Amino acid sequence: MTGFFLHPNSKEEIIDTYEEDIIVTNAAGYIVKASHISGRHYGISAEELLGESVYDLEKKGIFSPAITPLVLRQKKKVVVIQTTTAGQKVLITGMPFFNEAGEVEFVLSYSYEVSELLVIHDYMKELEQEMLLAKGELSLLRKEKLAIDGLTIENRSTRVAYETARNAAPLDVSIVIYGEQGTGKSTMAKVIHKESGRKNGPFIEIDFETMPEAMFERELFGSEFEQTETGLLTLAHGGTLYLKGVDKLPLHLQSKLTQILKERKYTPVGAEIPLPLDVRLISSSETILAEAVSEKAFHPDLYYLLHIVPVHLQPLRERKEDVRTLISTYLEKFSAAHQMVKKLSDDVYFHLCHFDWPGNHGELINVMERLIVQSTSTIITVKDLPPEYRKETGEDFSMFQLEGQSLPHLLESVEMKILRDAQLRYRTTTEMAKVLGISQPSVVRKLKKYSHFE
């Protein structure tokens, strides 16, 4: 706004602005200033308003109520809905201007037609939806960025595990990765190595579950007699040593490993001079090592050397979001590998999403490749499932208990299940809305509603 000065000798001056509907009245209720667009709501010009009393205009029905008396009485900002002779609704805001004595000397009011506010409201709602979509897209981009080398990070517990590992990766401290077989422990170990200060060094894996006890020292330390037998500790020098299945190492061999890690040196078989141990240790275990220590099944000193930062990877049965992404990932991967175009029917997709996958990643990968190569049509259906994975996939409404449940409550239960299944199948609320035949804001509203039941 420009040209607005409350000078005593400028009562007939029109406020020099074309952008806002502004009127200024004095303490007696007479209009002393008005912008060029003032009066448009009342069917009169700004010039005709100057010098008029708001009390008289109110009596004539030009508008109702007059805001000046309200501001004078309350001596503060006042907002009212005003009705004009044409029946329009106008939102009026009145602001008091005080003199040195603390009395209201002028009242400045500005107005917006309610229909204009509705347009602004609709615009804000539209903007809100666009922001919601943008947040969704940003979330997807972040998730895609976190899918590193087969490590899928959709589930919250997986995200926490990855963040813990990533924060510890550059610190060169010992890390233990816990999880069932096939939960991605080796992949996590490789990610930690790639994000560490030793990323340019070797990554050497020792699988204690498959290593024969008799070969323990020769495998780890190497042999002075055989120049071709370089120990894994030597190969890992300057890099990362991954102790896979450290909980499977027999107790008497744990003592030998503990001594090596404490002294940070080892001696090859048949040698006299020890070599320095310069490795970063990452271990994996299917059992909680603290419990193994309490049961005297794991050496306590080795536990303290290895267990600096624990990382826990949950099984797939507890990571349904990761399962959804893995199914889509391996469907595309094996379709491309075998030069086929395959899709999953909805019932097969939902069945696979809700399956417990006791074999975790290995089992899921196996099933997905079998489905790709064995199905005879483009759409993979229930009959394509291996017999041991096949079951009735139709909806079973017997899961909804009728006794004591009202029809609205039952309908809400069905709607909630459909929405959650759609969440598994589709990545955005826009896709969900298209498939379900409702608006995207409705999908967002319903998801928010049912989130309270989780």
Side-chain angles (χ1 to χ4, degrees):
M1 182 174 65
T2 59
F4 177 47
F5 301 99
L6 290 177
H7 292 162
N9 299 323
S10 58
K11 291 182 179 181
E12 295 185 1
E13 175 189 353
I14 295 177
I15 301 172
D16 185 18
T17 178
Y18 292 87
E19 299 170 358
E20 303 290 345
D21 185 354
I22 298 174
I23 292 176
V24 179
T25 60
N26 60 21
Y30 288 97
I31 298 174
V32 296
K33 288 179 179 288
S35 61
H36 286 279
I37 64 172
S38 295
R40 63 175 182 172
H41 300 309
Y42 314 122
I44 57 180
S45 67
E47 288 81 359
E48 291 175 303
L49 285 175
L50 290 172
E52 291 289 332
S53 167
V54 295
Y55 299 99
D56 293 338
L57 294 172
E58 184 178 23
K59 288 179 182 180
K60 294 177 182 179
I62 302 298
F63 51 71
S64 178
I67 198 168
T68 297
L70 299 176
V71 176
L72 291 172
R73 188 182 312 121
Q74 299 181 32
K75 295 186 177 181
K76 65 178 183 178
K77 177 182 175 181
V78 177
V79 180
V80 297
I81 298 286
Q82 201 176 72
T83 304
T84 70
T85 51
Q88 288 181 311
K89 299 293 184 181
V90 181
L91 184 71
I92 306 291
T93 301
M95 303 282 292
F97 280 73
F98 298 93
N99 58 22
E100 295 179 356
E103 298 295 329
V104 178
E105 185 172 4
F106 297 100
V107 174
L108 181 147
S109 63
Y110 52 93
S111 64
Y112 294 97
E113 190 177 344
V114 172
S115 61
E116 294 176 351
L117 295 177
L118 292 176
V119 171
I120 294 174
H121 178 266
D122 291 342
Y123 170 75
M124 293 302 294
K125 291 293 290 183
E126 183 179 345
L127 186 61
E128 181 182 353
Q129 294 303 324
E130 290 179 359
M131 290 296 293
L132 190 63
L133 287 174
K135 287 175 67 178
E137 291 171 1
L138 179 60
S139 177
L140 289 176
L141 287 173
R142 286 173 175 167
K143 289 175 181 177
E144 288 173 3
K145 185 177 179 181
L146 288 176
I148 300 173
D149 293 340
L151 181 63
T152 301
I153 306 176
E154 295 277 352
N155 178 266
R156 183 179 180 277
S157 68
T158 313
R159 186 174 295 276
V160 170
Y162 175 76
E163 290 295 337
T164 302
R166 188 177 66 176
N167 292 335
L171 301 180
D172 210 29
V173 295
S174 297
I175 296 175
V176 178
I177 306 172
Y178 290 102
E180 295 179 6
Q181 184 175 7
T183 51
K185 299 186 293 296
S186 295
T187 299
M188 177 70 80
K190 293 173 184 177
V191 170
I192 295 171
H193 171 70
K194 288 183 178 180
E195 296 192 9
S196 73
R198 296 175 179 264
K199 61 184 178 182
N200 295 323
F203 177 88
I204 301 298
E205 177 181 307
I206 303 176
D207 190 346
F208 289 130
E209 187 171 10
T210 60
M211 178 184 291
E213 289 187 33
M215 297 295 293
F216 177 80
E217 291 190 9
R218 188 176 292 274
E219 287 284 327
L220 260 66
F221 309 150
S223 174
E224 182 74 10
F225 303 117
E226 298 288 342
Q227 294 183 352
T228 57
E229 288 192 30
T230 303
L232 295 176
L233 297 183
T234 302
L235 294 175
H237 186 81
T240 298
L241 185 64
Y242 176 42
L243 308 177
K244 182 179 180 180
V246 71
D247 55 324
K248 301 296 194 299
L249 186 65
L251 199 56
H252 67 281
L253 296 181
Q254 291 178 23
S255 298
K256 290 186 178 181
L257 181 60
T258 301
Q259 183 179 358
I260 295 167
L261 298 182
K262 276 185 176 181
E263 297 177 355
R264 304 298 293 182
K265 60 183 179 181
Y266 63 97
T267 305
V269 176
E272 297 181 359
I273 301 175
L275 300 177
L277 180 67
D278 178 19
V279 295
R280 195 271 181 79
L281 295 171
I282 301 177
S283 308
S284 70
S285 174
E286 293 183 20
T287 59
I288 301 301
L289 295 183
E291 296 177 2
V293 170
S294 65
E295 296 170 0
K296 301 187 183 305
F298 199 81
H299 199 295
D301 288 345
L302 182 57
Y303 169 80
Y304 297 131
L305 288 168
L306 301 179
H307 197 274
I308 305 299
V309 178
V311 176
H312 296 269
L313 289 175
Q314 300 299 327
L316 287 185
R317 62 181 174 273
E318 297 179 19
R319 295 159 47 192
K320 297 303 184 185
E321 300 93 337
D322 288 351
V323 171
R324 177 191 65 186
T325 301
L326 287 169
I327 289 171
S328 299
T329 298
Y330 289 119
L331 180 68
E332 293 177 7
K333 177 180 178 180
F334 292 127
S335 292
H338 298 291
Q339 298 181 343
M340 298 177 176
V341 178
K342 298 290 177 108
K343 294 183 179 180
L344 298 175
S345 62
D346 283 346
D347 53 351
V348 171
Y349 180 84
F350 292 136
H351 173 52
L352 296 178
C353 283
H354 291 291
F355 190 71
D356 280 345
W357 300 110
N360 291 297
H361 284 77
E363 183 180 14
L364 188 148
I365 292 170
N366 174 269
V367 170
M368 291 306 299
E369 187 164 20
R370 289 170 69 182
L371 289 174
I372 294 296
V373 299
Q374 292 182 8
S375 63
T376 56
S377 61
T378 302
I379 304 298
I380 299 172
T381 63
V382 174
K383 67 180 180 61
D384 297 311
L385 286 169
E388 62 270 32
Y389 294 93
R390 197 176 302 166
K391 75 169 189 177
E392 181 62 42
T393 57
E395 289 298 337
D396 181 11
F397 287 96
S398 64
M399 65 180 288
F400 299 107
Q401 299 296 323
L402 294 178
E403 186 177 352
Q405 301 292 331
S406 65
L407 179 60
H409 185 273
L410 289 170
L411 292 175
E412 281 190 341
S413 299
V414 175
E415 184 179 59
M416 180 169 65
K417 185 178 188 308
I418 291 172
L419 283 167
R420 286 177 175 171
D421 283 345
Q423 265 190 302
L424 287 175
R425 184 61 161 153
Y426 305 102
R427 298 182 67 88
T428 68
T429 53
T430 302
E431 289 180 289
M432 289 174 62
K434 183 178 180 181
V435 172
L436 296 175
I438 59 178
S439 67
Q440 190 266 351
S442 295
V443 172
V444 174
R445 185 172 63 253
K446 290 178 183 294
L447 289 175
K448 184 177 181 181
K449 170 185 175 182
Y450 292 122
S451 67
H452 299 298
F453 295 93
E454 295 180 349

